[in-house]
């Protein structure tokens, strides 16, 4: 399963099943995302515990549990397996089992342990942009008869691609050279157009550029083009963020906060060094449509639900094709509104050819797990 409709499918499966469910995700940020979504789903149902840890609580009222955990927290799941009735295990971002690191090893080890200790549970793996999901069965010796895998290549929204040169000119270009090989100069600035239409844009950049403020200098004209937010709910979230970080409510003087001043214009700065509680507020601010510009690092790679009308790739990493595809997937999100939904991607002209290769080429899981080929002599690593 790829990203399109994944959250809907997960919600549907969890609502329908009558046993305990487990969602395994790679990060605390995604734990928080699922916790928010499922609390909304079950807000009227007091018979379901939605927990970010594995424990047996509220047994007088709750008939079943939904546990949202990282692979590292599955140890508690195995300890309590005899006291639980786990019928469904969902593994989000399961392509991380192919990560050439200790994290990839750990992911595969958890999958193998689950298949042995929860033999009656249904396992559902979700992968963004993986063309051969069936490799999960092969690499981890999943030999049960009732299994299937499907890779969907459809997108839920159309996408328009732009490149720009050193003179500040923008050009349309197509991913397929056969249908749209030559670039065509535009008569507008796509990012400025999104701002003027009260849309939202992601500027993907390095943390170093945020820390030294170079990215804000590069985009200063766009920053000043963002009007101040006047919505009551936006002001409540900004005040909540200001109180959390202990900043002054003044725009000048001691204890003033650049991030708070940015938020007043609908400008979000999102990176991994921010506390999770602060990121949660920023993500809610963005989801509710108050964000005009979001300067973000790779913390958005792992599936946090923050869609944008436009994605500007300032930091292009062709060596990480899956991350690039995930990033492009942030551009555009289908809605039920009677309008043509599409996303826009902007990239440097020099990176255009590499982007075409990444989008056109499939990403494949390895048939052999790192667990089976690691040659590290460290005993702890092997364990």
């Amino acid at each position: 399963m790829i990203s399109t409709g994944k959250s809907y499918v997960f919600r549907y499966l969890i609502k329908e099943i009558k046993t305990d469910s487990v969602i395994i995700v790679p990060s605390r940020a995604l734990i928080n995302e699922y916790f928010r979504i499922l609390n909304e789903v079950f807000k009227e149902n007091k018979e379901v515990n939605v927990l970010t840890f594995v424990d047996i609580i509220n047994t007088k009222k709750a008939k079943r549990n939904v546990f949202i955990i990282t692979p590292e927290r599955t140890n508690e799941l195995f300890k309590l397996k005899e006291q639980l009735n786990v019928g469904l295990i969902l593994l989000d971002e399961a392509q991380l089992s192919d990560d050439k690191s200790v994290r990839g090893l750990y992911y595969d080890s958890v999958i193998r342990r689950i298949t042995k200790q929860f033999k009656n549970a249904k396992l559902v793996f979700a992968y963004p942009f993986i063309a051969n999901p069936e490799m999960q069965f092969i690499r981890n010796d999943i030999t049960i008869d009732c299994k299937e895998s499907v890779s969907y290549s459809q997108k839920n929204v159309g996408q328009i691609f732009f490149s720009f040169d050193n003179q500040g000119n923008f050009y349309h270009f197509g991913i397929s050279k056969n249908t749209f090989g030559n670039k065509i100069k535009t008569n507008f600035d796509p990012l400025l157009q999104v701002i003027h239409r009260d849309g939202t844009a992601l500027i993907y950049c390095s943390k170093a550029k945020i820390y030294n403020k170079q990215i804000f200098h590069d985009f200063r004209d766009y920053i000043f083009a963002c009007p101040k937010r006047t919505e009551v709910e936006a002001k409540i979230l900004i005040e909540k963020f200001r109180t959390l970080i202990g900043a002054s409510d003044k725009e000048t003087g001691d204890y003033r906060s650049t991030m708070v001043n940015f938020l007043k214009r609908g400008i979000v700065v999102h990176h991994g060094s921010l506390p999770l509680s602060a990121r949660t507020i920023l993500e809610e601010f963005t989801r509710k449509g108050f964000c005009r510009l979001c300067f973000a690092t790779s913390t958005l790679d792992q599936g946090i639900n923050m869609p944008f009308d436009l994605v500007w790739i300032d930091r292009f990493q062709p060596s990480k094709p899956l991350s690039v595809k995930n990033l492009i997937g942030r551009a555009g999100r289908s809605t039920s509104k009677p309008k043509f939904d599409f996303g826009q991607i902007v990239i440097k002209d020099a990176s255009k050819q590499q982007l075409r290769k990444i989008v056109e080429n499939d990403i494949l899981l390895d048939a052999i797990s790192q667990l089976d080929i690691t040659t590290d002599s460290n005993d702890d690593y092997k364990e």
Side-chain angles (χ1 to χ4, degrees):
M1 185 192 307
I2 62 171
S3 293
T4 300
K6 177 182 65 179
S7 296
Y8 173 81
V9 172
F10 274 22
R11 289 196 300 270
Y12 175 80
L13 291 173
I14 291 169
K15 282 177 68 176
E16 292 299 309
I17 200 162
K18 303 304 179 186
T19 61
D20 296 325
S21 306
V22 182
I23 306 175
I24 299 177
V25 297
S27 67
R28 288 185 304 149
L30 274 174
I31 286 179
N32 201 55
E33 173 85 1
Y34 273 107
F35 186 69
R36 177 187 64 80
I37 291 171
L38 291 175
N39 270 320
E40 184 66 25
V41 170
F42 294 112
K43 64 181 178 182
E44 304 297 334
N45 189 345
K46 303 303 180 184
E47 294 187 346
V48 180
N49 282 331
V50 180
L51 304 171
T52 58
F53 54 90
V54 180
D55 205 347
I56 299 172
I57 61 173
N58 193 28
T59 53
K60 285 187 177 180
K61 291 183 179 179
K63 305 298 183 185
R64 64 186 180 100
N65 305 289
V66 180
F67 302 117
I68 312 164
I69 55 175
T70 59
E72 290 77 13
R73 296 186 188 180
T74 53
N75 284 333
E76 298 303 315
L77 182 68
F78 297 123
K79 287 178 185 177
L80 296 174
K81 66 173 184 175
E82 300 300 334
Q83 298 166 257
L84 297 170
N85 180 25
V86 177
L88 176 67
I89 301 176
L90 307 169
L91 293 102
D92 199 1
E93 304 292 325
Q95 78 285 352
L96 293 175
S97 63
D98 218 30
D99 196 318
K100 306 296 189 290
S101 68
V102 175
R103 182 173 69 167
L105 291 170
Y106 202 83
Y107 226 96
D108 268 352
S109 70
V110 167
I111 291 169
R112 293 183 185 190
R113 198 172 175 189
I114 283 172
T115 56
K116 291 177 182 176
Q117 299 197 32
F118 293 97
K119 293 183 178 180
N120 295 324
K122 178 187 289 185
L123 270 66
V124 179
F125 299 93
Y127 312 80
F129 313 110
I130 295 295
N132 63 338
E134 69 280 358
M135 282 299 141
Q136 190 63 262
F137 304 139
I138 296 170
R139 62 187 285 133
N140 286 311
D141 302 318
I142 299 175
T143 56
I144 57 174
D145 294 329
C146 187
K147 60 187 178 185
E148 63 176 312
S149 61
V150 181
S151 176
Y152 296 100
S153 58
Q154 297 90 345
K155 290 185 177 182
N156 57 348
V157 293
Q159 292 182 324
I160 298 173
F161 291 83
F162 297 93
S163 64
F164 65 94
D165 60 23
N166 294 330
Q167 285 72 47
N169 299 310
F170 291 90
Y171 304 89
H172 290 285
F173 75 93
I175 291 301
S176 172
K177 285 187 175 181
N178 295 329
T179 56
F180 190 1
N182 298 320
K183 63 183 184 182
I184 300 173
K185 189 175 180 179
T186 69
N187 58 0
F188 63 93
D189 181 325
L191 179 52
L192 205 56
Q193 185 183 77
V194 165
I195 293 171
H196 289 161
R197 291 179 176 177
D198 210 28
T200 181
L202 167 66
I203 313 299
Y204 183 78
C205 59
S206 67
K207 189 186 289 186
K209 272 196 169 184
I210 290 177
Y211 279 1
N212 64 23
K213 300 185 179 180
Q214 179 62 45
I215 196 70
F216 308 130
H217 179 268
D218 294 343
F219 285 83
R220 62 187 180 280
D221 292 340
Y222 299 110
I223 289 172
F224 287 123
C226 297
K228 289 194 174 182
R229 305 310 307 185
T230 57
E231 301 89 347
V232 172
E233 193 173 4
K235 290 181 178 180
I236 291 171
L237 288 170
I238 293 168
E239 179 61 19
K240 190 175 178 182
F241 183 84
R242 185 195 68 77
T243 304
L244 178 68
I245 66 173
S248 166
D249 59 356
K250 303 291 191 296
E251 294 192 7
T252 59
D254 295 339
Y255 305 110
R256 72 179 180 87
S257 167
T258 300
M259 289 186 70
V260 172
N261 290 340
F262 274 173
L263 278 178
K264 291 176 181 178
R265 288 181 172 269
I267 298 166
V268 168
V269 181
H270 189 286
H271 56 81
S273 296
L274 289 171
L276 185 59
S277 52
R279 276 188 277 161
T280 300
I281 297 171
L282 297 177
E283 288 159 17
E284 184 179 359
F285 187 85
T286 303
R287 275 194 306 271
K288 291 188 173 180
F290 304 133
C291 173
R292 296 286 72 78
L293 294 177
C294 177
F295 295 94
T297 63
S298 56
T299 53
L300 292 184
D301 279 353
Q302 293 176 348
I304 302 171
N305 186 22
M306 290 173 64
F308 301 89
D309 296 303
L310 180 146
V311 171
W312 183 304
I313 306 177
D314 181 78
R315 185 192 187 196
F316 180 55
Q317 298 172 285
S319 62
K320 298 181 177 180
L322 187 55
S323 293
V324 173
K325 286 195 172 188
N326 261 326
L327 184 59
I328 291 171
R330 301 278 171 209
R333 186 62 58 103
S334 58
T335 67
S336 58
K337 297 177 181 177
K339 66 174 186 177
F340 178 56
D341 294 305
F342 66 94
Q344 303 171 69
I345 295 95
V346 180
I347 194 166
K348 293 175 183 175
D349 206 45
S351 303
K352 183 175 57 180
Q353 301 303 332
Q354 288 177 305
L355 181 68
R356 277 176 166 157
K357 288 181 181 179
I358 289 172
V359 175
E360 288 189 313
N361 292 338
D362 289 334
I363 295 176
L364 304 173
L365 278 178
D366 290 336
I368 302 175
S369 168
Q370 292 294 304
L371 278 172
D372 300 319
I373 62 175
T374 182
T375 57
D376 196 285
S377 58
N378 186 299
D379 289 338
D380 290 338
Y381 192 75
K382 287 181 179 179
E383 184 64 27

